[in-house]
Amino acid sequence: MTGFRQCAFGAVATVMVVCGLLGTTAQAQQQPAVQSRVNALPPALRAAVLSGNMQGIQAAINSLSGGNPQQAATLAASVVSAAEQLLTINPQAAIQAAGAAVEAVQATSVQTTAPGQTATVLTTAARIFIAPEVLRVAPLDAANVAARAVATATTNNVPAITANISAQAVVLAERILTVAPSAAVQLAGSAVQAVQSQAVQTTAPAQTLAVVTGAARVAVTTAAQNAAPQGVAALSVAVVQIVSNPVVYQAAPQAAIGAMANAYAAATSQTVTSTVTTVAAQVTTILSQAQNSAALSASNSANPRQLNAILSRAMPTTGTETNTTAANNAAANNANANANNNNNQPSVSSTFQSNIFSSSPS
């Protein structure tokens, strides 16, 4: 019996050793594959990407491109592609590289010369800034990159790309709401502003609606209203204006009604109205007009009744759900990144802190 146990133990040990060797071999094979795009970068650019220094990456792109916009776009596309491969092993470096790539294609000369590569950079950067790996370690960096991507997409003037990037940005805004509510409101505002264009609404009504419904879910939360009441007021007005467009409304009438309900609840909350006294009247006027719109009723026969319920405060609202545990973990993971910030409220870059809309809702 003792011999049998020894044999069995020896067999198990052998299997464990073999499995361990196989696992080590698999990891060794996977590592070069993960970094293949990184290794394909020019040495100076590769070093900058691996360092996770956005300014260093930008400097390397500028130096290597020599002022050639086509070359700058090519390098930016290579950088953001490499960044996506870094997500699983170094998400902090990945989001910094994505930000540098977006910066590289912001120039009008680059967008005009290489529109396809500009679009590739923006869509890949969007996949990076909403990645869970990035959200865990650098939510504010993700918000900054998202804001830059939205701004670049807007100047790129391709409605479908603008709608797509804006929709991803609102997804991120909802995800960072508990960790950084002020940043979430600003990012949602940037996305909503980007889809205010009639060309965007006509080209991509479903994505436009996704943007405003997500923004309205942010606006209706107490966290958003306490952190940025003026931003919430601006969001509320913009949401009801956009969703009242028949082209957008008919993409999903019940989602549109939900966005209107959330925007009205946000605009009439005590926190918001005490800061922007005219916002409730503005939103009420827009919704009253929507209630009597024949075009909206053509898409949804219940529109007058549902708008009446909203204005009578009988329509339930749905805010962005928050997970306290997840938020606390994200905040803890992000503590080192914000070590130099002396304020209790997380901050964003000066570009990101600019006004959401060109004029006040009042």
Side-chain angles (χ1 to χ4, degrees):
M1 189 65 161
T2 301
F4 173 77
R5 289 177 179 173
Q6 290 175 340
C7 289
F9 179 79
V12 171
T14 300
V15 169
M16 292 176 65
V17 169
V18 171
C19 288
L21 289 173
L22 289 173
T24 302
T25 302
Q27 291 177 351
Q29 291 174 341
Q30 185 182 23
Q31 192 74 359
V34 169
Q35 295 191 4
S36 61
R37 297 176 197 168
V38 177
N39 292 335
L41 296 172
L45 189 54
R46 180 170 66 247
V49 167
L50 292 175
S51 74
N53 185 303
M54 184 183 296
Q55 289 72 28
I57 300 168
Q58 291 170 349
I61 291 175
N62 291 337
S63 175
L64 291 167
S65 66
N68 184 315
Q70 179 64 61
Q71 183 64 13
T74 299
L75 290 169
S78 298
V79 165
V80 80
S81 178
E84 193 167 26
Q85 281 199 323
L86 284 174
L87 269 176
T88 57
I89 58 175
N90 192 343
Q92 181 70 59
I95 191 62
Q96 295 298 324
V102 171
E103 288 284 349
V105 299
Q106 278 191 322
T108 302
S109 59
V110 175
Q111 295 180 27
T112 303
T113 304
Q117 286 172 309
T118 297
T120 296
V121 168
L122 294 175
T123 53
T124 306
R127 291 197 298 269
I128 293 171
F129 69 61
I130 63 168
E133 296 91 342
V134 170
L135 185 61
R136 281 194 295 269
V137 301
L140 291 179
D141 289 338
N144 278 313
V145 173
R148 292 189 187 100
V150 169
T152 304
T154 303
T155 59
N156 192 38
N157 202 28
V158 179
I161 296 296
T162 301
N164 178 45
I165 302 304
S166 299
Q168 301 283 50
V170 165
V171 170
L172 177 62
E174 291 197 82
R175 291 179 181 177
I176 66 171
L177 177 61
T178 305
V179 178
S182 181
V185 172
Q186 291 178 58
L187 182 56
S190 297
V192 168
Q193 185 179 27
V195 300
Q196 283 184 311
S197 161
Q198 188 64 42
V200 174
Q201 294 176 30
T202 302
T203 303
Q207 285 183 302
T208 298
L209 183 57
V211 170
V212 294
T213 52
R217 286 194 298 268
V218 170
V220 79
T221 63
T222 301
Q225 293 165 18
N226 287 339
Q230 289 182 318
V232 167
L235 270 180
S236 301
V237 174
V239 164
V240 293
Q241 286 175 334
I242 293 171
V243 84
S244 296
N245 180 349
V247 174
V248 176
Y249 183 97
Q250 68 184 7
Q254 295 313 307
I257 291 292
M260 290 174 169
N262 286 338
Y264 181 75
T268 56
S269 69
Q270 184 176 355
T271 303
V272 174
T273 56
S274 64
T275 304
V276 184
T277 57
T278 59
V279 65
Q282 282 186 279
V283 171
T284 298
T285 298
I286 296 169
L287 291 181
S288 296
Q289 294 170 347
Q291 182 180 10
N292 298 317
S293 169
L296 299 188
S297 294
S299 301
N300 173 24
S301 60
N303 179 72
R305 175 175 54 81
Q306 290 177 317
L307 265 296
N308 181 65
I310 291 173
L311 294 170
S312 303
R313 300 181 185 276
M315 177 72 70
T317 60
T318 305
T320 298
E321 294 182 4
T322 57
N323 184 310
T324 303
T325 301
N328 289 339
N329 289 340
N333 287 333
N334 195 46
N336 291 334
N338 294 308
N340 295 325
N341 180 14
N342 294 322
N343 299 318
N344 292 328
Q345 172 65 37
S347 62
V348 293
S349 72
S350 57
T351 301
F352 192 43
Q353 289 175 328
S354 61
N355 292 332
I356 293 174
F357 298 106
S358 56
S359 60
S360 166
S362 60

